[in-house]
Amino acid sequence: MRFRQRLARPLHLHPHGWVIRLSPPELLLLGFALLSVIGTLLLLLPVAANIPLAWHEALFTATSAVTVTGLGVIDTSELTLFGQIVVLGLIQLGGLGFMTFAALMLALLGMRLPLQQQKLIRESLNQTSFSTLMHLVRLIIAFALIAETLGTLLLAITWVPKFGLWPGLWVSVFHAIAAFNNSGFSTWPNSLMGEVANPLVNGVVSALFIIGGLGFVVIAELTQLHRRQPLSLNTRIVLHATLWLTLVAMASLLLLEWHNPATLGGLDSIGTRLQAAWFQAVAPRTAGFNTLDIGELTTPSALLTMLWMFIGAGSASTASGIKVTTFVVLLLVARAFVTGRPQPAVFWRSIPEQTVLKAVAVALAGLLLVFSCLFVLTITEPGQPFLALAFESVSAFGTVGLSRGITSELSVPGQLIVIITMLLGRTGPITLGFFITTRQRRGLKYAEENVQIG
């Protein structure tokens, strides 16, 4: 059935209930696009901002929010309370995942999810049993609300005395939700640079986006540790990779920025420097907050930050990027080739061929998307430094929100290409994984022949 026909009549009534006729990738991308359009229309209302917003500014802000990116052509402080509520709502919807909300809403309305839609949700949440799907969806929402509430209360300890009851509570709510959903939006123009020496704010915010970035399936499994069941290979990879990537990133920042007076070198105490290095080591894996001036990072630090942004965090999480499991599988494939092993393995488990294929496809698709975005930006933004454009491209793909200060200077065509990159960066890996998982096996098999590699 053609896409136009399915789009004109997306629902079809079967004897057992309503069935969605759109394919899972179409549903996912259109869902995010629709939320972006709705957010754009709301932000264009006079009550949404203290200054008149152009259509492309509203569209960019709405898309950045629903894809939980955090890049902005305007400061969130220029929005009214209504506008900030709109942004926060988009962040929550985009962070928990459009398909998660869709699955819950359809179940509550008595509508039947077709097998294809169930497969997409199963793939995005890494679930193997359809019977536990809705239980996991309810767990996701409940855990998110609990984490955000606790984060709000802890942040309020600092910000309520500082700003007053209601302003302090609002700032705490906004940053708790944005942090858990790995979005880089802040109510302040300089993000959290003013809190660089505050251990409570640094600890709570970093904990929120680490937890949100682990992946809900990992969190669900960790909550069952009392049953003394061994952790799955996926969970062990995510936990180990998260730890080591964070430690390597922190050590690199300390080494490269210790004597930089514009970043770590300008901080008073060793404790504050260590705290800032920790925060900035964790944030690039799609959180998007910053306590250091990203535009003042040295070139080696900026390149390493781009690598962390490209890798991202855990699958089925509020974060994006190619995901840490994809990165680890690629490393295992390279190790297997170098050591002459027939199959990549880790923790006494072999990695299936289909998982390897998926990892290669996702990583290659990510590289192509970043290159395409960067290529177009070099055409539309000829006056901007190449490193800043490359940083912006990777940040848009990984839906991180960190920038070297050029986002607000982008032309309208440049903003549009970043919007597309954010949408594809958010929905692309899941969509590509669905296509690989559900591809049809052909009955015809061709003869093999070697090709020279390297």
Side-chain angles (χ1 to χ4, degrees), residues 109-160:
L109 293 173
M111 300 174 68
R112 183 167 60 91
L113 276 175
L115 186 60
Q116 282 188 321
Q117 272 71 6
Q118 294 184 37
K119 285 182 178 179
L120 176 60
I121 301 173
R122 182 186 67 174
E123 174 67 19
S124 64
L125 298 178
N126 199 28
Q127 280 293 99
T128 56
S129 173
F130 289 128
S131 61
T132 61
L133 199 57
M134 293 313 300
H135 172 72
L136 180 59
V137 171
R138 290 190 291 268
L139 175 65
I140 288 172
I141 297 176
F143 183 84
L145 293 177
I146 292 173
E148 291 166 354
T149 301
L150 289 176
T152 297
L153 295 176
L154 290 173
L155 291 175
I157 295 175
T158 292
W159 286 336
V160 166

Side-chain angles (χ1 to χ4, degrees), residues 62-74:
T63 306
S64 183
V66 79
T67 57
V68 292
T69 303
L71 290 174
V73 292
I74 63 168

Side-chain angles (χ1 to χ4, degrees), residues 42 99-100 118 243 247 444:
L42 292 174
M99 285 305 301
T100 304
Q118 294 184 37
L243 174 63
L247 293 178
L444 180 62

Side-chain angles (χ1 to χ4, degrees), residues 370-382 389 393 413-414 417:
V370 170
F371 177 82
S372 300
C373 178
L374 176 58
F375 178 77
V376 177
L377 286 181
T378 57
I379 297 174
T380 62
E381 320 298 323
L389 293 178
S393 301
I417 190 62

Side-chain angles (χ1 to χ4, degrees), residues 253 284 297 300-310 391 394 402:
L253 281 173
L297 292 177
S301 296
L303 291 174
L304 285 176
T305 300
M306 290 167 61
L307 175 61
W308 311 138
M309 292 193 297
F310 184 78
F391 198 96
V394 179
L402 296 177

Side-chain angles (χ1 to χ4, degrees), residues 181-194:
N181 288 287
N182 276 245
S183 171
F185 278 96
S186 174
T187 55
W188 300 307
N190 61 351
S191 190
L192 295 178
M193 291 178 61

Side-chain angles (χ1 to χ4, degrees), residues 17 19 72 80 149 156 160 208 243 251 253 294 321 403 419:
V19 174
T80 63
T149 301
V160 166
L208 283 172
L243 174 63
L253 281 173
I294 301 301
S403 174
I419 287 173

Side-chain angles (χ1 to χ4, degrees), residues 4 11 63 103 129 353:
R4 290 184 180 179
L11 296 178
T63 306
S129 173
E353 179 183 354

